[in-house]
Amino acid sequence: MRRLTPYLLALPSWMWLAIFLVVPMVAMASVSLQTGNAIDGFAMTFSFSNYTEAIGRYSTQLARSLLYGALATVAMLVIGYPVAYFIAFKAGARKSMYLFLLLLPFFVSFVLRTISWNFLLADNGILFGTLKGWGLLPADFHVLATTVAVVGGLTYNFLPFMILPIYVALERVDPRVVEAAQDLYATRAAAFRRVVLPLSLPGVFAGVLMTFVPATADPINAAILGGTSNTMIGNIIQTAYLTNLDYPTASALSFTLMAVLLVGIFIYARALGTENVLEAAAR
Amino acid sequence: MNPLMRGMTQPRTRRDVFRLAGFSAAGLALAACGVQGQKAAPPKADAVADYWAKQKKNGKVVFANWPEYMPEDKGPLEKFKKDTGIAYEYKEVIQENAEFFGKADPVLRAGQSLGYDIVVMTNGIQLQHMIELGYAVPLDHSKLPNFDANAGQKYKERSYDPGNKYTVPYTSGVTGIAYNTKYVKDEITSIESLFDPKYKGRVGMMADAQEIANFGMIALGIDPEKSTEADWNKAGEKLKAQRDAGIVRKYYDQSYIDAVSKGDVWLTMAWSGDVFQRQLAGEPVKFVVPAEGGTIWTDNMLIPKGAANPVDALMLMDYLYQPAVAAELDEYIQYVTPVPAVQDLLREKAKTAKGEDKKALEDMVDSPLMFPSEADYAKLRNYTQLTTQQEQVFNPIFQSITQA
Amino acid sequence: MTGLSAIELADVVKEYHSHGEVVQAVKGVTLGIGEGEFFSLLGPSGCGKTTTMRMIAGFEAPTKGVVKLYGQDVTDVPPNKRDVNMVFQSYALFPHMSVWDNVAFGLKQRKVAQAEIRRRVGEMLEIIGLTGREKRMPRALSGGQQQRVALARALVNQPRALLLDEPLGALDLKLRQAMQIELKRIQREVGITFVYVTHDQSEALTMSDRIAVMNDGVVEQLAGPREIYERPATAFVAGFIGTSNLLAGAATGGEMKVGGGRVLVPGHDGDVTVTVRPEKITIGTDEPAQGLSAVKGTVSEVVYLGTYNSYAVSLADGAEITVFQQNAHDATATAERGDSVWLSWQAQHSYVIGS
């Protein structure tokens, strides 16, 4: 009995995983191979053509989602790393205030935050209207309904998920290790490159995962901020599911997206050298 | 507060195309081994009679409706309670057709009750599914004398529910063109303005497949209600050309009204009620039903399968067709009422009213958007009626334009 | 001081701003450290010894004063351009680098040729006895091994001075003692200046050529271990280094009356304070001869400490004196608790620290 105790203690976790991860996944996998419609019902036909058809029809949106996700992730990294660095090393006593400010937007719903950009970036709104009034921008200039708006919206909405893990990793870097590097003839830049950066990589890794995946799958920013050719795969899945009640296509696209993301993550992890990253993280 | 002002300063959220909340719920509803079809056979006349014979009045009714669809004092419902002794529960739980259907489907499929005796849904795919799947209780017209007497003829002959077997209209609205007079100096009269390269990048179209298809077809002189697959393809080509020429800025959901008010788009497909509100808020927007035609849509009451109090529900439905009750309701809602007698009642009321109220009532009575004339109605088309098989052809044609 | 001055501090002050107040961590330190010297900065925590060392390394800029390395003013030179290396408290090894990469870090930064790096790192690992463990990560090493890597990482650069910040603090007693000897040996072999920060007085006494005893931001005494021990300059030094008895009173004619006895202070008159080390005092029942300092008291505590006994003796005026007596086989007497005893010591062992 005693030998079983650890397994019994882990049982709730396993059940959690089974109920909220495995069961829905199996259900979705099953639906993705069915054919039929919502009225006459769906039947399992092992119709793998659901996948080929869906991918064929929506490859543009799939590729676009990956591109937007990647662009937004790079932008978040470029903006987020310095912010995390500043909060971890330079903010001093104001650290908790900055972290609070970072989380403040989360008190407002995701959709509302995104919609607020519609007002801020309106063609003749407070920002561009003013600049156009001063003659600094051509009257035709607009950001809404463009790729820039969608990628910018993704960057804005997921930025804290990039900053926080990097901050946590940087926060754990012993300042004396940085001093040691400088003592051993490293310039500030070299100390950053050889010591701080490698030690913060687990945070960067986590940050990229936590932003790239949801940014790629996000339907909201494209719907609110995008134009006529900014549709992302999330919008397609949503329409297939809710409007068309085309559950097989929606499931097949979801699985395809998941598979593409997993492969991407795997390549990324290999490129970054997960072993090293994990080793540093386990310190 | 003036009921007109209140009704018009609230955003009309129920047509919001964001289908977020229903997303996960629908996901869990999917069984692992296929979803059983439930296509209902048309009910036999005696079966309907049998059903209603077994039901009796319970003295209570639960009404699920959209926000901003009932005066705050619940006047019509209070009167109903006083006249019939039936207690009511009124719930503003329906925000969006797809979301509501997504939540209701698994419950009804499992043979359980939604807990509502009346629900309100717009004519369209989800309502059609409700009927096809047998989720709507066939109505006993012997218990609908007010409807038979007072409903406009048009509201008795609708293609999505001929003979009102399952539904009776709650209210209707019009889809036309809204334009911002600050940027558009010409008077807009034709649907062709939406396709005019002069407004390149300044035109808003709706993302909803049916709405945009309707306008594509109307622009080609096709009546959507009588359209064929070939017509859809032609409309699709016209809309694709419009898109490829860069005329369309964006395919909008509810947010089009902000875009046109702010001037992000100059002219756009629009719902009449939204534009009414913005005009009253002093914004430079105008609504027009194009010379070639617009569309009319209807929100409908129905009794969902498994409802606990169908007799009481039917009584309430019929009660709302008393002209005085319908007038009170329409004065607040300000869309198109299915009871034509309301116009005269409001005109009478305007005579005795004073000041702002008088002006507001006069505006309503004269508005072709609340009381379309026969000429106006002649320009208003009904939605395309699609079978499930047709839908699988129809949707991709237009979604490949709005979701490219 | 041996040879020329490797490190010089001239009136160095370090101030911090903390909650709107100015706190002086170092209040004007002036000292010179000779080439090849083993020099300790000794004091309790918060005395300014670590701040002083960090100013030598370049991690802190002095608020006032000048820091010189080999005669060159380096006050404003960043740490990476100073030819000194530091061994950090708890080592600060690079956790993401192997032993080899840790040790090679400084050489790589200095762009030393690959072959040269390989040779010198290899030699260094041999010296510290970690050959064969080059690929280990720091966290896979014991505390003592990490300590040696930290040392190797600094020494491999052949700096002109090595700064050590409480380097043995994290080790257990046996290892610490072994490392003390090891450090001293390495210092002798490489012949470079060691500046050693510690709060452990026995460590400082064991290893140092000279010691600066610091307290509250100032150097209380700067001298060799023997002098510090035998002739503490201040009451603080006397109290901080080893155990010390303090006796105060008025002296007339080179003799101070205290506790029913006398303390000989030749050449002093008026109020004086005298320190006497416990091991210099003889305990006995017979009245001591003239020419010795002698006081009378009652044994209040006897503690057996192996190689010696420690007695606490209360004098008539309430003062308490500590006496160590070696447990030699010819020990004259072993007093018991409650015994009346005489304490005596030679005049030269009374060291006057204030008058």
Side-chain angles (χ1 to χ4, degrees):
Chain A
M1 189 60 209
R2 178 165 302 169
R3 276 189 305 155
L4 279 178
T5 309
Y7 299 98
L8 289 176
L9 286 174
L11 198 60
S13 327
W14 287 111
M15 282 171 63
W16 176 272
L17 269 182
I19 293 170
F20 291 104
L21 190 71
V22 179
V23 169
M25 291 273 276
V26 170
M28 206 163 83
S30 157
V31 170
S32 75
L33 296 174
Q34 298 178 6
T35 41
N37 62 55
I39 304 306
D40 302 325
F42 296 95
M44 172 55 81
T45 51
F46 294 99
S47 161
F48 287 94
S49 61
N50 285 348
Y51 282 85
T52 49
E53 268 170 36
I55 294 167
R57 195 186 293 171
Y58 300 115
S59 57
T60 316
Q61 288 88 343
L62 193 59
R64 185 186 291 139
S65 298
L66 292 168
L67 175 69
Y68 286 6
L71 287 174
T73 303
V74 169
M76 282 183 263
L77 195 55
V78 168
I79 299 166
Y81 199 102
V83 173
Y85 187 91
F86 172 83
I87 297 175
F89 293 127
K90 309 281 176 188
R94 295 213 188 86
K95 209 176 261 190
S96 46
M97 188 190 80
Y98 286 122
L99 287 174
F100 176 73
L101 285 179
L102 201 63
L103 294 174
L104 199 58
F106 285 96
F107 290 90
V108 177
S109 94
F110 189 99
V111 175
L112 280 185
R113 267 184 285 144
T114 311
I115 288 175
S116 69
W117 281 100
N118 250 327
F119 286 87
L120 201 63
L121 299 179
D123 290 14
N124 300 299
I126 39 175
L127 187 61
F128 296 143
T130 313
L131 292 175
K132 284 173 186 175
W134 294 341
L136 294 176
L137 286 176
D140 255 5
F141 180 85
H142 67 104
V143 169
L144 286 182
T146 65
T147 304
V148 173
V150 179
V151 174
L154 292 171
T155 304
Y156 161 78
N157 274 311
F158 296 105
L159 187 58
F161 297 108
M162 179 65 87
I163 295 177
L164 287 175
I166 298 179
Y167 162 77
V168 170
L170 286 172
E171 174 68 39
R172 278 175 40 176
V173 174
D174 182 351
R176 277 175 306 196
V177 172
V178 184
E179 285 182 348
Q182 289 177 320
D183 186 62
L184 294 165
Y185 318 112
T187 59
R188 280 166 174 278
F192 174 78
R193 207 175 54 247
R194 297 290 312 278
V195 177
V196 179
L197 186 62
L199 287 176
S200 66
L201 277 187
V204 172
F205 183 78
V208 166
L209 282 196
M210 288 174 71
T211 52
F212 177 67
V213 172
T216 302
D218 179 73
I220 292 170
N221 284 280
I224 297 178
L225 302 172
T228 53
S229 39
N230 300 118
T231 307
M232 291 173 69
I233 197 69
N235 306 91
I236 299 288
I237 295 173
Q238 200 173 306
T239 302
Y241 225 122
L242 287 173
T243 307
N244 301 352
L245 304 179
D246 184 356
Y247 303 140
T249 300
S251 302
L253 282 174
S254 300
F255 260 106
T256 305
L257 178 63
M258 200 157 71
V260 169
L261 288 174
L262 279 176
V263 169
I265 289 164
F266 182 72
I267 293 170
Y268 167 66
R270 288 299 291 267
L272 211 62
T274 359
E275 270 172 49
N276 257 336
V277 168
L278 295 179
E279 211 154 320
R283 156 172 80 100
Chain B
M1 190 175 171
N2 185 326
L4 183 71
M5 288 298 292
R6 188 186 51 232
M8 290 185 171
T9 47
Q10 300 286 344
R12 187 165 183 269
T13 50
R14 67 192 114 96
R15 287 197 152 243
D16 204 316
V17 187
F18 281 111
R19 283 138 191 198
L20 300 174
F23 198 59
S24 52
L28 283 173
L30 289 172
C33 312
V35 181
Q36 290 305 307
Q38 303 237 336
K39 187 153 183 147
K44 294 190 185 79
D46 48 342
V48 176
D50 282 356
Y51 171 84
W52 286 104
K54 277 185 227 145
Q55 307 300 330
K56 57 181 194 300
K57 183 177 154 187
N58 293 329
K60 74 179 271 216
V61 61
V62 185
F63 189 178
N65 206 343
W66 302 72
E68 303 300 317
Y69 253 17
M70 185 60 67
E72 255 153 55
D73 63 3
K74 308 273 188 299
L77 296 174
E78 283 297 322
K79 284 203 187 77
F80 173 70
K81 187 175 161 189
K82 223 177 89 197
D83 289 353
T84 63
I86 295 172
Y88 67 87
E89 262 184 76
Y90 184 75
K91 297 185 170 172
E92 295 185 343
V93 289
I94 308 176
Q95 311 273 346
E96 206 268 317
N97 286 300
E99 180 201 326
F100 179 75
F101 180 77
K103 285 179 182 166
D105 179 52
V107 178
L108 295 170
R109 201 176 283 270
Q112 291 164 336
S113 170
L114 287 179
Y116 308 131
D117 300 315
I118 303 178
V119 300
V120 175
M121 292 182 75
T122 314
N123 64 306
I125 290 161
Q126 284 82 23
L127 178 63
Q128 212 173 306
H129 289 328
M130 290 290 281
I131 294 172
E132 284 174 342
L133 290 167
Y135 293 168
V137 171
L139 303 177
D140 180 353
H141 277 262
S142 68
K143 295 196 173 74
L144 289 169
N146 282 313
F147 170 79
D148 288 342
N150 300 327
Q153 193 54 36
K154 288 184 179 56
Y155 297 95
K156 294 178 179 170
E157 328 170 312
R158 296 147 320 139
S159 59
Y160 57 88
D161 184 20
N164 298 85
K165 276 204 183 70
Y166 303 96
T167 68
V168 291
Y170 187 76
T171 192
S172 290
V174 172
T175 308
I177 299 174
Y179 60 102
N180 188 315
T181 52
K182 195 173 149 192
Y183 299 98
V184 180
K185 296 299 176 194
D186 306 331
E187 182 123 352
I188 299 288
T189 54
S190 167
I191 202 164
E192 273 307 320
S193 296
L194 291 172
F195 299 85
D196 190 342
K198 185 161 87 173
Y199 301 119
K200 189 177 171 187
R202 294 299 180 182
V203 170
M205 297 293 281
M206 284 185 177
D208 184 84
Q210 288 228 319
E211 292 278 15
I212 194 171
N214 289 340
F215 268 50
M217 289 189 268
I218 291 170
L220 291 169
I222 299 163
D223 182 349
E225 205 175 358
K226 300 178 180 121
S227 63
T228 62
E229 193 177 326
D231 295 331
W232 308 336
N233 281 319
K234 272 188 262 171
E237 272 159 36
K238 177 154 181 86
L239 293 165
K240 186 168 184 302
Q242 177 201 29
R243 180 200 127 88
D244 291 346
I247 293 167
V248 182
R249 174 179 167 114
K250 181 175 170 73
Y251 296 99
Y252 285 96
D253 49 59
Q254 180 65 45
S255 61
Y256 79 88
I257 189 66
D258 282 327
V260 73
S261 301
K262 286 181 299 182
D264 286 356
V265 291
W266 294 352
L267 66 167
T268 178
M269 288 175 67
W271 290 306
S272 52
D274 293 338
V275 185
F276 249 163
Q277 290 172 22
R278 299 294 168 135
Q279 279 174 348
L280 285 199
E283 289 179 17
V285 282
K286 244 176 139 170
F287 184 87
V288 61
V289 177
E292 297 86 344
T295 48
I296 184 162
W297 44 265
T298 304
D299 284 346
N300 305 277
M301 294 182 274
L302 62 90
I303 300 172
K305 197 178 79 178
N309 313 299
V311 175
D312 311 75
L314 203 58
M315 286 174 74
L316 176 54
M317 282 178 172
D318 191 55
Y319 191 84
L320 296 175
Y321 273 89
Q322 291 183 19
V325 178
E328 186 179 351
L329 207 54
D330 198 41
E331 188 186 336
Y332 175 82
I333 307 176
Q334 294 154 6
Y335 280 95
V336 181
T337 175
V339 180
V342 167
Q343 190 173 19
D344 284 338
L345 286 177
L346 290 183
R347 188 173 288 132
E348 287 303 313
K349 192 175 176 187
K351 279 179 191 157
T352 56
K354 288 191 176 59
E356 266 186 47
D357 275 357
K358 185 182 180 73
K359 171 84 174 63
L361 283 164
E362 282 168 359
D363 280 353
M364 285 188 217
V365 171
D366 294 338
S367 170
L369 298 176
M370 276 180 73
F371 300 100
S373 64
E374 277 311 308
D376 292 327
Y377 269 123
K379 284 163 52 177
L380 295 178
R381 311 273 176 262
N382 287 313
Y383 279 24
T384 317
Q385 200 55 35
L386 300 169
T387 66
T388 304
Q389 279 69 30
Q390 285 174 325
E391 200 190 304
Q392 285 172 357
V393 179
F394 182 92
N395 280 342
I397 294 174
F398 298 101
Q399 285 168 358
S400 72
I401 294 162
T402 59
Q403 295 204 313
Chain C
M1 203 187 296
T2 51
L4 87 137
S5 217
I7 298 166
E8 269 178 82
L9 302 182
D11 197 22
V12 167
V13 173
K14 180 66 190 178
E15 291 174 351
Y16 290 106
H17 294 268
S18 161
H19 301 289
E21 277 177 53
V22 175
V23 180
Q24 278 201 327
V26 175
K27 303 174 178 172
V29 165
T30 300
L31 52 82
I33 301 170
E35 191 171 8
E37 192 176 16
F38 197 119
F39 188 95
S40 289
L41 289 164
L42 173 66
S45 63
C47 73
K49 59 187 191 296
T50 295
T51 307
T52 305
M53 169 174 276
R54 289 172 60 81
M55 286 191 287
I56 297 172
F59 297 128
E60 309 275 357
T63 312
K64 234 168 62 187
V66 174
V67 177
K68 284 184 180 176
L69 296 178
Y70 288 86
Q72 192 191 353
D73 185 345
V74 296
T75 314
D76 300 318
V77 174
N80 55 317
K81 299 212 171 113
R82 294 191 189 191
D83 199 7
V84 295
N85 287 119
M86 189 151 161
V87 176
F88 288 79
Q89 202 174 359
S90 69
Y91 327 131
L93 296 178
F94 304 124
H96 58 302
M97 293 183 198
S98 65
V99 167
W100 180 281
D101 287 338
N102 262 280
V103 176
F105 188 90
L107 297 176
K108 282 184 188 162
Q109 291 303 315
R110 282 183 147 182
K111 311 258 186 303
V112 173
Q114 278 297 330
E116 172 82 356
I117 292 177
R118 224 168 295 133
R119 187 183 62 76
R120 276 164 70 176
V121 173
E123 273 177 20
M124 207 62 206
L125 289 175
E126 203 158 320
I127 290 172
I128 62 166
L130 282 176
T131 310
R133 294 198 171 88
E134 297 88 345
K135 295 213 169 87
R136 294 274 181 95
M137 300 304 274
R139 68 188 156 80
L141 300 177
S142 71
Q145 288 170 332
Q146 291 185 25
Q147 161 69 63
R148 280 182 281 164
V149 174
L151 203 60
R153 183 176 71 173
L155 283 174
V156 76
N157 304 296
Q158 299 167 349
R160 303 186 79 167
L162 187 68
L163 312 176
L164 302 100
D165 186 6
E166 308 247 10
L168 307 182
L171 304 181
D172 64 40
L173 181 66
K174 259 210 132 74
L175 196 52
R176 192 156 72 225
Q177 285 171 342
M179 281 305 293
Q180 285 174 9
I181 295 165
E182 180 88 359
L183 272 178
K184 192 68 190 161
R185 178 183 68 79
I186 291 169
Q187 196 252 343
R188 261 199 314 274
E189 279 173 15
V190 297
I192 62 170
T193 311
F194 273 37
V195 181
Y196 195 95
V197 162
T198 183
H199 67 275
D200 181 334
Q201 40 105 2
S202 77
E203 204 168 278
L205 292 176
T206 315
M207 298 196 288
S208 312
D209 296 321
R210 284 194 308 151
I211 299 169
V213 183
M214 289 188 71
N215 182 39
D216 197 20
V218 298
V219 175
E220 296 255 343
Q221 187 173 9
L222 200 173
R226 178 170 291 272
E227 190 174 345
I228 296 261
Y229 187 78
E230 306 272 346
R231 300 187 167 280
T234 64
F236 173 81
V237 177
F240 190 74
I241 309 287
T243 312
S244 209
N245 295 300
L246 281 184
L247 293 158
T252 45
E255 194 175 303
M256 183 174 81
K257 294 286 171 211
V258 58
R262 58 181 187 260
V263 176
L264 303 180
V265 280
H268 288 276
D269 264 319
D271 287 344
V272 291
T273 303
V274 167
T275 76
V276 189
R277 293 289 179 189
E279 69 276 15
K280 307 291 187 190
I281 301 173
T282 308
I283 190 165
T285 45
D286 303 331
E287 186 170 350
Q290 291 297 321
L292 292 176
S293 294
V295 293
K296 202 169 160 42
T298 311
V299 175
S300 56
E301 199 71 65
V302 184
V303 181
Y304 174 72
L305 288 166
T307 54
Y308 63 92
N309 287 332
S310 169
Y311 300 89
V313 178
S314 300
L315 304 189
D317 63 2
E320 190 158 281
I321 303 259
T322 305
V323 178
F324 296 156
Q325 193 175 44
Q326 198 113 37
N327 281 332
H329 71 94
D330 60 344
T332 45
T334 309
E336 299 287 330
R337 190 153 171 263
D339 286 358
S340 263
V341 290
W342 279 100
L343 304 178
S344 61
W345 62 92
Q346 291 178 352
Q348 81 230 34
H349 292 137
S350 301
Y351 186 63
V352 179
I353 57 172
S355 55

